[in-house]
Amino acid sequence: GSDTDTLSQLRSGAVEFFTLSGLILSTLVPAASINGIGFAFPDSATVWKAMDGDLGAHVRKQIEKSNLVAMEKIWDNGFRHITSSTKPITTPD
């Protein structure tokens, strides 16, 4: 099934382990969508520092409130980049 279907199966116990996008998980845990917000992080190094630090700890606590177990360190499932085929995009403007 889809990622959303698999998340439902995880919650029911039909699936025991699932790596998914924070954007899919955010339907259940809104704080998990932080890595999907454009320009929230300037680069990958900053994402890892945040997600391996206090911000990640906060997100994991929110996940635990949904009766799911989150790994101590997240896996690289990407973070939101906005690109163009004609020029670099460096600001929301």
Side-chain angles (χ1 to χ4, degrees), residues 1 14-15 23 45 51 56 66-68 71 76-77 79 81 84 87:
V15 172
L23 295 177
M51 297 310 292
S66 297
N67 294 320
L68 297 175
M71 299 293 177
D76 190 355
N77 209 359
F79 76 99
H81 287 285
S84 165
K87 63 182 179 174

Side-chain angles (χ1 to χ4, degrees), residues 35-47:
N35 68 342
I37 298 173
F39 299 103
F41 303 100
D43 54 42
S44 293
T46 306
V47 172

Side-chain angles (χ1 to χ4, degrees), residues 19-69:
T19 60
L20 72 160
S21 162
L23 295 177
I24 300 296
L25 183 56
S26 72
T27 61
L28 179 64
V29 182
S33 68
I34 185 65
N35 68 342
I37 298 173
F39 299 103
F41 303 100
D43 54 42
S44 293
T46 306
V47 172
W48 292 119
K49 184 176 180 182
M51 297 310 292
D52 288 344
D54 291 342
L55 177 60
H58 170 73
V59 173
R60 285 188 297 279
K61 284 180 186 175
Q62 298 305 306
I63 293 169
E64 290 171 8
K65 289 179 182 179
S66 297
N67 294 320
L68 297 175
V69 176

